[in-house]
Amino acid sequence: MPVHSLASLTWPAVRDLPAARTVAVLPTGAIEAHGPHLPLGTDVIIAEAMARAGADRLAARGFHVLLLPALTMAPAPFAAEFAGTVHAPPEATTMMVTGVVHSLAACGIRVAAIANAHHDPAHVDALRRAVSGMSACSDDTIVVFPDLTRRRWAERLTPEFRSGACHAGRYEGSIILAERPDLVRADLMAALAPNPRSLVDAIRCGQATFTAAGGPDAYFGFPADATVEEGHAIVETLGAILSEAVLEAMGPPGDES
């Protein structure tokens, strides 16, 4: 089955999709500082890669997949002190995701999945509120959010990601090298010293900015160790996580009709 870009379709094309066999995927990211070496849109690039990889897997299972334009503006308080970061209200994310899913449901598309790559607690909480709110008020719509900050999914990812020292480090740097090498300042990345401070630990201690958490240049982890090969492997894992979460939420074959 094909993977469709929603923005490229006509309205009759969307109307004529087999709604019971269609899954919509919404990438969510942010525009925020990712060290001196990665672009502000790093999370958006990763979310779109996750969405595409997951869509390919779902299409191979016989689903039509609608790839939605990425939600790029998000709460980003940890990076708000750095130039270029766009810090939007958390409630805007909750409302936007809710509105998108309701609009899809009005077209008969009742399965929507969120491919999220922005893990600021304010943003993750906003997504959780959207999902829980829709789940509480609808028996017909399935909203899938494989939250990578949860242990179940995080343990599938790299040691750096699991450590919490993974903002603009080896994990994210590898994906951007694989997806958009033209946007990487490779000379700077290769020269950056490791910063093994864990954002997870900093959050538990009440820190609320990258600088307070020990990242005055807006990066954590081991950026100089990033590789294209690891980036491709991570994207495949992210795609597997997304597709598995969708299939699990839809239940055994036959339940999705």
Side-chain angles (χ1 to χ4, degrees):
M1 293 294 112
V3 175
H4 312 273
S5 166
L6 176 62
S8 299
L9 296 178
T10 63
W11 74 264
V14 176
R15 177 198 59 196
D16 295 340
L17 286 172
R21 297 293 296 173
T22 299
V23 177
V25 180
L26 174 65
T28 59
I31 301 299
E32 67 167 0
H34 277 78
H37 57 296
L38 296 183
L40 292 163
T42 286
D43 290 343
V44 177
I45 294 168
I46 296 173
E48 290 178 332
M50 179 181 183
R52 185 187 66 250
D56 288 342
R57 287 173 174 265
L58 290 167
R61 296 290 294 264
F63 291 93
H64 289 261
V65 184
L66 276 179
L67 285 177
L68 276 62
L71 182 61
T72 60
M73 302 303 170
F78 266 79
E81 62 190 309
F82 295 93
T85 297
V86 177
H87 173 36
E91 56 270 23
T93 292
T94 300
M95 294 174 66
M96 184 68 72
V97 172
T98 301
V100 167
V101 174
H102 285 328
S103 292
L104 294 168
C107 302
I109 300 167
R110 69 184 189 90
V111 182
I114 299 169
N116 179 55
H118 177 48
H119 306 300
D120 189 302
H123 178 65
V124 174
D125 287 346
L127 293 177
R128 289 175 181 167
R129 285 194 297 273
V131 173
S132 62
M134 287 181 287
S135 298
C137 69
S138 175
D139 294 328
D140 298 322
T141 302
I142 299 172
V143 186
V144 183
F145 173 36
D147 182 352
L148 301 181
T149 68
R150 299 297 197 191
R151 179 175 298 178
R152 176 191 178 185
W153 304 117
E155 66 185 9
R156 301 266 297 270
L157 298 172
T158 67
E160 187 194 77
F161 185 92
R162 296 195 303 271
S163 76
C166 61
H167 183 82
R170 175 174 175 170
Y171 173 87
E172 292 189 326
S174 292
I175 299 173
I176 304 305
L177 279 176
E179 293 289 320
R180 289 298 306 271
D182 57 308
L183 298 181
V184 178
R185 292 291 305 274
D187 54 337
L188 289 177
M189 184 164 69
L192 289 174
N195 180 8
R197 295 174 178 84
S198 170
L199 280 167
V200 173
D201 292 343
I203 291 167
R204 287 173 180 161
C205 293
Q207 306 299 335
T209 69
F210 285 150
T211 297
D217 292 314
Y219 79 89
F220 297 79
F222 300 81
D225 294 340
T227 67
V228 171
E229 294 76 16
E230 184 164 301
H232 286 307
I234 294 169
V235 169
E236 285 304 306
T237 300
L238 292 172
I241 287 172
L242 184 66
S243 62
E244 290 169 23
V246 169
L247 293 171
E248 178 182 289
M250 294 183 72
D255 286 4
E256 69 269 11
S257 61

